[in-house]
């Protein structure tokens, strides 16, 4: 059996980690699937899905490390007029940070529950906010 849901989130800052673990848990439990996998996927190229601990100090470390690796104020080539959009693309850092984080995660489902480690949480990672965003949660199994 396969089931999918789309969830919308509104980011409030350029960089933001939005916890989505509970939404994933709720959907998995409501799906009735006892054993399988759940996929959490962002549909945006300037965002990501990450799995990590829920600690404010780690949140800061993630943000600061990504900023050191991919600084906001750098002369990126993507900062020019894009005829296909009719606007100037100035969000190269968001695109590059999303490459590092990836656009999805996969978790096992056992006995109707996602199998997260003790300190694991799933986050939607915003790298180009504030924006209205959406993710897909899809479960497969029996």
């Amino acid at each position: 059996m396969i089931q999918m849901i789309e969830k919308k989130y509104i980011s409030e800052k350029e960089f933001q980690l939005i916890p989505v673990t509970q939404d994933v848990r709720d959907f998995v439990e409501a799906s009735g699937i006892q054993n399988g996998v759940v996929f959490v996927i962002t549909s945006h190229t300037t965002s990501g899905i990450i799995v990590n601990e829920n600690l404010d100090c780690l949140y800061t470390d993630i943000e600061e490390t990504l900023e050191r690796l991919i600084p906001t104020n750098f002369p990126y080539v993507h900062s020019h007029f894009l005829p296909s959009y009719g606007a100037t693309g100035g969000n190269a850092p968001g695109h590059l940070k999303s490459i590092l984080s990836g656009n999805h995660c996969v978790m096992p489902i056992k006995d109707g529950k996602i199998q997260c480690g003790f300190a694991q949480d799933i986050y939607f990672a915003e790298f180009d906010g504030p924006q209205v965003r959406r993710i897909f949660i899809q479960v497969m199994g029996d």
Side-chain angles (χ1 to χ4, degrees):
M1 179 173 17
I2 299 173
Q3 294 183 39
M4 185 172 67
I5 188 172
E6 177 182 326
K7 298 288 287 184
K8 291 190 180 181
Y9 299 93
I10 301 173
S11 61
E12 299 170 353
K13 300 184 288 188
E14 182 177 353
F15 173 82
Q16 187 174 357
L17 298 180
I18 299 172
V20 300
T21 310
Q22 192 58 53
D23 288 336
V24 175
R25 278 191 181 110
D26 292 346
F27 183 65
V28 167
E29 290 177 14
S31 74
I33 291 178
Q34 293 299 301
N35 296 292
V37 292
V38 59
F39 301 90
V40 182
I41 306 162
T42 178
S43 61
H44 306 279
T45 60
T46 57
S47 66
I49 300 293
I50 65 170
V51 177
N52 221 307
E53 282 189 86
N54 183 6
L55 296 171
D56 288 340
C57 58
L58 188 55
Y59 181 102
T60 300
D61 287 341
I62 292 168
E63 181 176 17
E64 289 178 358
T65 299
L66 288 172
E67 182 60 27
R68 277 193 308 275
L69 293 171
I70 303 168
T72 302
N73 297 318
F74 184 83
Y76 296 102
V77 175
H78 186 54
S79 296
H80 65 280
F81 184 76
L82 301 171
S84 60
Y85 283 175
T88 298
N91 57 355
H95 288 285
L96 298 172
K97 290 173 184 177
S98 74
I99 291 170
L100 294 179
S101 69
N103 74 336
H104 69 283
C105 78
V106 181
M107 294 288 205
I109 301 169
K110 181 179 175 190
D111 299 326
K113 300 194 181 305
I114 62 171
Q115 300 299 298
C116 287
F118 172 73
Q120 284 185 320
D121 278 297
I122 305 167
Y123 292 92
F124 170 80
E126 174 64 77
F127 302 124
D128 188 30
Q131 299 214 35
V132 176
R133 301 297 204 159
R134 63 190 179 137
I135 66 169
F136 295 95
I137 305 169
Q138 184 172 31
V139 292
M140 294 174 39
D142 52 335

mmCIF file of all heavy atoms in Angstrom, residues 16-50:
data_model
loop_
_atom_site.group_PDB
_atom_site.id
_atom_site.type_symbol
_atom_site.label_atom_id
_atom_site.label_comp_id
_atom_site.label_asym_id
_atom_site.label_seq_id
_atom_site.Cartn_x
_atom_site.Cartn_y
_atom_site.Cartn_z
ATOM 1 N N GLN A 16 15.994 28.666 8.492
ATOM 2 C CA GLN A 16 15.131 28.196 9.574
ATOM 3 C C GLN A 16 15.017 26.690 9.490
ATOM 4 O O GLN A 16 14.880 26.124 8.400
ATOM 5 C CB GLN A 16 13.745 28.841 9.455
ATOM 6 C CG GLN A 16 12.827 28.560 10.604
ATOM 7 C CD GLN A 16 11.512 29.337 10.497
ATOM 8 O OE1 GLN A 16 11.309 30.135 9.582
ATOM 9 N NE2 GLN A 16 10.616 29.086 11.420
ATOM 10 N N LEU A 17 15.080 26.038 10.646
ATOM 11 C CA LEU A 17 14.801 24.609 10.727
ATOM 12 C C LEU A 17 13.429 24.450 11.350
ATOM 13 O O LEU A 17 13.204 24.864 12.488
ATOM 14 C CB LEU A 17 15.861 23.893 11.571
ATOM 15 C CG LEU A 17 17.286 23.939 11.048
ATOM 16 C CD1 LEU A 17 18.225 23.199 11.992
ATOM 17 C CD2 LEU A 17 17.377 23.362 9.647
ATOM 18 N N ILE A 18 12.511 23.860 10.591
ATOM 19 C CA ILE A 18 11.134 23.685 11.047
ATOM 20 C C ILE A 18 10.935 22.209 11.360
ATOM 21 O O ILE A 18 11.052 21.361 10.468
ATOM 22 C CB ILE A 18 10.130 24.155 9.977
ATOM 23 C CG1 ILE A 18 10.344 25.644 9.684
ATOM 24 C CG2 ILE A 18 8.696 23.857 10.408
ATOM 25 C CD1 ILE A 18 9.543 26.183 8.520
ATOM 26 N N PRO A 19 10.640 21.870 12.626
ATOM 27 C CA PRO A 19 10.455 20.457 12.966
ATOM 28 C C PRO A 19 9.203 19.890 12.297
ATOM 29 O O PRO A 19 8.133 20.498 12.333
ATOM 30 C CB PRO A 19 10.318 20.458 14.491
ATOM 31 C CG PRO A 19 10.043 21.863 14.884
ATOM 32 C CD PRO A 19 10.477 22.757 13.775
ATOM 33 N N VAL A 20 9.351 18.720 11.680
ATOM 34 C CA VAL A 20 8.218 18.068 11.015
ATOM 35 C C VAL A 20 8.008 16.636 11.517
ATOM 36 O O VAL A 20 7.127 15.942 11.018
ATOM 37 C CB VAL A 20 8.380 18.085 9.469
ATOM 38 C CG1 VAL A 20 8.455 19.522 8.958
ATOM 39 C CG2 VAL A 20 9.583 17.297 9.013
ATOM 40 N N THR A 21 8.797 16.226 12.508
ATOM 41 C CA THR A 21 8.727 14.851 12.997
ATOM 42 C C THR A 21 7.312 14.456 13.424
ATOM 43 O O THR A 21 6.840 13.373 13.073
ATOM 44 C CB THR A 21 9.695 14.637 14.183
ATOM 45 O OG1 THR A 21 10.978 15.120 13.819
ATOM 46 C CG2 THR A 21 9.777 13.176 14.570
ATOM 47 N N GLN A 22 6.641 15.323 14.162
ATOM 48 C CA GLN A 22 5.309 14.967 14.656
ATOM 49 C C GLN A 22 4.320 14.806 13.508
ATOM 50 O O GLN A 22 3.479 13.901 13.531
ATOM 51 C CB GLN A 22 4.794 15.983 15.674
ATOM 52 C CG GLN A 22 3.564 15.512 16.424
ATOM 53 C CD GLN A 22 3.800 14.194 17.171
ATOM 54 O OE1 GLN A 22 4.746 14.068 17.936
ATOM 55 N NE2 GLN A 22 2.949 13.210 16.935
ATOM 56 N N ASP A 23 4.416 15.661 12.487
ATOM 57 C CA ASP A 23 3.535 15.515 11.321
ATOM 58 C C ASP A 23 3.788 14.178 10.624
ATOM 59 O O ASP A 23 2.851 13.516 10.164
ATOM 60 C CB ASP A 23 3.750 16.656 10.334
ATOM 61 C CG ASP A 23 3.209 17.979 10.838
ATOM 62 O OD1 ASP A 23 2.302 17.973 11.696
ATOM 63 O OD2 ASP A 23 3.694 19.031 10.377
ATOM 64 N N VAL A 24 5.056 13.766 10.550
ATOM 65 C CA VAL A 24 5.394 12.477 9.938
ATOM 66 C C VAL A 24 4.834 11.344 10.791
ATOM 67 O O VAL A 24 4.195 10.421 10.268
ATOM 68 C CB VAL A 24 6.925 12.339 9.749
ATOM 69 C CG1 VAL A 24 7.276 10.950 9.233
ATOM 70 C CG2 VAL A 24 7.449 13.419 8.810
ATOM 71 N N ARG A 25 5.043 11.410 12.100
ATOM 72 C CA ARG A 25 4.498 10.381 13.005
ATOM 73 C C ARG A 25 2.982 10.257 12.859
ATOM 74 O O ARG A 25 2.447 9.156 12.764
ATOM 75 C CB ARG A 25 4.826 10.721 14.455
ATOM 76 C CG ARG A 25 6.184 10.339 14.890
ATOM 77 C CD ARG A 25 6.319 10.474 16.416
ATOM 78 N NE ARG A 25 7.657 10.122 16.790
ATOM 79 C CZ ARG A 25 8.564 10.983 17.235
ATOM 80 N NH1 ARG A 25 8.262 12.249 17.391
ATOM 81 N NH2 ARG A 25 9.777 10.580 17.531
ATOM 82 N N ASP A 26 2.307 11.408 12.874
ATOM 83 C CA ASP A 26 0.839 11.398 12.788
ATOM 84 C C ASP A 26 0.365 10.764 11.495
ATOM 85 O O ASP A 26 -0.581 9.968 11.496
ATOM 86 C CB ASP A 26 0.291 12.828 12.903
ATOM 87 C CG ASP A 26 0.487 13.433 14.285
ATOM 88 O OD1 ASP A 26 0.801 12.700 15.248
ATOM 89 O OD2 ASP A 26 0.343 14.679 14.389
ATOM 90 N N PHE A 27 1.013 11.099 10.375
ATOM 91 C CA PHE A 27 0.591 10.541 9.092
ATOM 92 C C PHE A 27 0.862 9.049 9.025
ATOM 93 O O PHE A 27 0.027 8.285 8.540
ATOM 94 C CB PHE A 27 1.261 11.264 7.927
ATOM 95 C CG PHE A 27 0.792 10.774 6.589
ATOM 96 C CD1 PHE A 27 -0.523 10.960 6.197
ATOM 97 C CD2 PHE A 27 1.645 10.107 5.733
ATOM 98 C CE1 PHE A 27 -0.979 10.494 4.964
ATOM 99 C CE2 PHE A 27 1.209 9.635 4.508
ATOM 100 C CZ PHE A 27 -0.110 9.831 4.122
ATOM 101 N N VAL A 28 2.024 8.624 9.511
ATOM 102 C CA VAL A 28 2.346 7.194 9.509
ATOM 103 C C VAL A 28 1.312 6.430 10.328
ATOM 104 O O VAL A 28 0.781 5.404 9.890
ATOM 105 C CB VAL A 28 3.775 6.939 10.039
ATOM 106 C CG1 VAL A 28 4.005 5.469 10.351
ATOM 107 C CG2 VAL A 28 4.802 7.439 9.024
ATOM 108 N N GLU A 29 0.998 6.910 11.509
ATOM 109 C CA GLU A 29 0.034 6.221 12.366
ATOM 110 C C GLU A 29 -1.357 6.200 11.740
ATOM 111 O O GLU A 29 -2.061 5.194 11.809
ATOM 112 C CB GLU A 29 0.035 6.838 13.754
ATOM 113 C CG GLU A 29 1.331 6.536 14.502
ATOM 114 C CD GLU A 29 1.429 7.186 15.871
ATOM 115 O OE1 GLU A 29 0.398 7.668 16.389
ATOM 116 O OE2 GLU A 29 2.547 7.209 16.413
ATOM 117 N N ALA A 30 -1.751 7.303 11.098
ATOM 118 C CA ALA A 30 -3.070 7.364 10.461
ATOM 119 C C ALA A 30 -3.152 6.493 9.207
ATOM 120 O O ALA A 30 -4.230 6.063 8.818
ATOM 121 C CB ALA A 30 -3.418 8.810 10.105
ATOM 122 N N SER A 31 -2.016 6.207 8.600
ATOM 123 C CA SER A 31 -2.002 5.439 7.352
ATOM 124 C C SER A 31 -2.384 3.977 7.552
ATOM 125 O O SER A 31 -2.832 3.323 6.615
ATOM 126 C CB SER A 31 -0.613 5.501 6.697
ATOM 127 O OG SER A 31 0.308 4.678 7.408
ATOM 128 N N GLY A 32 -2.172 3.477 8.750
ATOM 129 C CA GLY A 32 -2.452 2.070 9.011
ATOM 130 C C GLY A 32 -1.336 1.135 8.578
ATOM 131 O O GLY A 32 -1.411 -0.074 8.795
ATOM 132 N N ILE A 33 -0.297 1.663 7.963
ATOM 133 C CA ILE A 33 0.830 0.830 7.542
ATOM 134 C C ILE A 33 1.629 0.420 8.776
ATOM 135 O O ILE A 33 2.006 1.266 9.584
ATOM 136 C CB ILE A 33 1.697 1.560 6.495
ATOM 137 C CG1 ILE A 33 0.890 1.667 5.204
ATOM 138 C CG2 ILE A 33 3.026 0.850 6.273
ATOM 139 C CD1 ILE A 33 1.567 2.391 4.078
ATOM 140 N N GLN A 34 1.872 -0.864 8.894
ATOM 141 C CA GLN A 34 2.566 -1.396 10.062
ATOM 142 C C GLN A 34 4.061 -1.554 9.844
ATOM 143 O O GLN A 34 4.854 -1.348 10.756
ATOM 144 C CB GLN A 34 1.956 -2.742 10.462
ATOM 145 C CG GLN A 34 0.532 -2.619 10.965
ATOM 146 C CD GLN A 34 0.456 -1.734 12.198
ATOM 147 O OE1 GLN A 34 1.083 -2.018 13.212
ATOM 148 N NE2 GLN A 34 -0.293 -0.640 12.098
ATOM 149 N N ASN A 35 4.448 -1.943 8.638
ATOM 150 C CA ASN A 35 5.858 -2.177 8.339
ATOM 151 C C ASN A 35 6.150 -1.677 6.932
ATOM 152 O O ASN A 35 5.446 -2.032 5.988
ATOM 153 C CB ASN A 35 6.199 -3.665 8.453
ATOM 154 C CG ASN A 35 6.006 -4.154 9.876
ATOM 155 O OD1 ASN A 35 6.734 -3.763 10.776
ATOM 156 N ND2 ASN A 35 4.995 -4.995 10.074
ATOM 157 N N GLY A 36 7.190 -0.838 6.825
ATOM 158 C CA GLY A 36 7.546 -0.274 5.532
ATOM 159 C C GLY A 36 8.520 0.862 5.689
ATOM 160 O O GLY A 36 9.389 0.836 6.571
ATOM 161 N N VAL A 37 8.341 1.883 4.866
ATOM 162 C CA VAL A 37 9.205 3.067 4.914
ATOM 163 C C VAL A 37 8.367 4.321 4.723
ATOM 164 O O VAL A 37 7.288 4.291 4.128
ATOM 165 C CB VAL A 37 10.316 3.040 3.838
ATOM 166 C CG1 VAL A 37 11.324 1.942 4.115
ATOM 167 C CG2 VAL A 37 9.747 2.913 2.451
ATOM 168 N N VAL A 38 8.891 5.418 5.249
ATOM 169 C CA VAL A 38 8.279 6.723 5.019
ATOM 170 C C VAL A 38 9.332 7.619 4.394
ATOM 171 O O VAL A 38 10.485 7.627 4.814
ATOM 172 C CB VAL A 38 7.700 7.346 6.314
ATOM 173 C CG1 VAL A 38 8.751 7.524 7.391
ATOM 174 C CG2 VAL A 38 6.986 8.666 6.014
ATOM 175 N N PHE A 39 8.916 8.334 3.358
ATOM 176 C CA PHE A 39 9.765 9.300 2.668
ATOM 177 C C PHE A 39 9.263 10.696 3.021
ATOM 178 O O PHE A 39 8.052 10.938 2.989
ATOM 179 C CB PHE A 39 9.684 9.131 1.148
ATOM 180 C CG PHE A 39 10.079 7.767 0.664
ATOM 181 C CD1 PHE A 39 9.136 6.758 0.546
ATOM 182 C CD2 PHE A 39 11.397 7.499 0.316
ATOM 183 C CE1 PHE A 39 9.499 5.502 0.092
ATOM 184 C CE2 PHE A 39 11.766 6.248 -0.138
ATOM 185 C CZ PHE A 39 10.818 5.241 -0.246
ATOM 186 N N VAL A 40 10.178 11.609 3.322
ATOM 187 C CA VAL A 40 9.836 13.007 3.546
ATOM 188 C C VAL A 40 10.641 13.790 2.510
ATOM 189 O O VAL A 40 11.869 13.725 2.490
ATOM 190 C CB VAL A 40 10.197 13.458 4.972
ATOM 191 C CG1 VAL A 40 9.782 14.902 5.193
ATOM 192 C CG2 VAL A 40 9.552 12.533 6.009
ATOM 193 N N ILE A 41 9.931 14.523 1.639
ATOM 194 C CA ILE A 41 10.566 15.133 0.469
ATOM 195 C C ILE A 41 10.132 16.592 0.346
ATOM 196 O O ILE A 41 8.939 16.895 0.409
ATOM 197 C CB ILE A 41 10.169 14.374 -0.812
ATOM 198 C CG1 ILE A 41 10.473 12.881 -0.672
ATOM 199 C CG2 ILE A 41 10.857 14.961 -2.037
ATOM 200 C CD1 ILE A 41 9.734 12.011 -1.679
ATOM 201 N N THR A 42 11.094 17.477 0.149
ATOM 202 C CA THR A 42 10.764 18.870 -0.152
ATOM 203 C C THR A 42 10.674 19.038 -1.664
ATOM 204 O O THR A 42 11.410 18.387 -2.410
ATOM 205 C CB THR A 42 11.786 19.867 0.429
ATOM 206 O OG1 THR A 42 11.402 21.197 0.029
ATOM 207 C CG2 THR A 42 13.199 19.588 -0.018
ATOM 208 N N SER A 43 9.797 19.916 -2.093
ATOM 209 C CA SER A 43 9.629 20.136 -3.530
ATOM 210 C C SER A 43 10.268 21.450 -3.974
ATOM 211 O O SER A 43 9.894 21.999 -5.003
ATOM 212 C CB SER A 43 8.136 20.125 -3.883
ATOM 213 O OG SER A 43 7.469 21.169 -3.194
ATOM 214 N N HIS A 44 11.226 21.937 -3.203
ATOM 215 C CA HIS A 44 11.849 23.223 -3.511
ATOM 216 C C HIS A 44 13.365 23.070 -3.617
ATOM 217 O O HIS A 44 13.972 22.309 -2.867
ATOM 218 C CB HIS A 44 11.508 24.247 -2.430
ATOM 219 C CG HIS A 44 10.036 24.373 -2.202
ATOM 220 N ND1 HIS A 44 9.224 25.125 -3.018
ATOM 221 C CD2 HIS A 44 9.227 23.807 -1.279
ATOM 222 C CE1 HIS A 44 7.974 25.028 -2.593
ATOM 223 N NE2 HIS A 44 7.949 24.237 -1.543
ATOM 224 N N THR A 45 13.974 23.830 -4.513
ATOM 225 C CA THR A 45 15.416 23.706 -4.752
ATOM 226 C C THR A 45 16.256 24.596 -3.848
ATOM 227 O O THR A 45 17.484 24.585 -3.945
ATOM 228 C CB THR A 45 15.750 24.019 -6.222
ATOM 229 O OG1 THR A 45 15.333 25.355 -6.509
ATOM 230 C CG2 THR A 45 15.089 23.019 -7.153
ATOM 231 N N THR A 46 15.630 25.368 -2.984
ATOM 232 C CA THR A 46 16.378 26.178 -2.018
ATOM 233 C C THR A 46 15.980 25.804 -0.593
ATOM 234 O O THR A 46 15.942 26.634 0.311
ATOM 235 C CB THR A 46 16.177 27.686 -2.249
ATOM 236 O OG1 THR A 46 14.784 27.986 -2.192
ATOM 237 C CG2 THR A 46 16.771 28.134 -3.574
ATOM 238 N N SER A 47 15.675 24.539 -0.401
ATOM 239 C CA SER A 47 15.336 24.020 0.919
ATOM 240 C C SER A 47 15.836 22.586 1.001
ATOM 241 O O SER A 47 16.307 22.023 0.021
ATOM 242 C CB SER A 47 13.829 24.088 1.156
ATOM 243 O OG SER A 47 13.151 23.207 0.278
ATOM 244 N N GLY A 48 15.728 22.006 2.177
ATOM 245 C CA GLY A 48 16.187 20.637 2.350
ATOM 246 C C GLY A 48 15.421 19.928 3.443
ATOM 247 O O GLY A 48 14.583 20.519 4.131
ATOM 248 N N ILE A 49 15.716 18.660 3.594
ATOM 249 C CA ILE A 49 15.201 17.847 4.691
ATOM 250 C C ILE A 49 16.422 17.294 5.412
ATOM 251 O O ILE A 49 17.290 16.685 4.775
ATOM 252 C CB ILE A 49 14.313 16.689 4.185
ATOM 253 C CG1 ILE A 49 13.108 17.210 3.398
ATOM 254 C CG2 ILE A 49 13.886 15.799 5.353
ATOM 255 C CD1 ILE A 49 12.080 17.991 4.205
ATOM 256 N N ILE A 50 16.491 17.529 6.705
ATOM 257 C CA ILE A 50 17.619 17.014 7.475
ATOM 258 C C ILE A 50 17.114 16.234 8.684
ATOM 259 O O ILE A 50 15.999 16.447 9.149
ATOM 260 C CB ILE A 50 18.595 18.121 7.913
ATOM 261 C CG1 ILE A 50 17.939 19.084 8.896
ATOM 262 C CG2 ILE A 50 19.147 18.876 6.714
ATOM 263 C CD1 ILE A 50 18.927 20.038 9.547
#
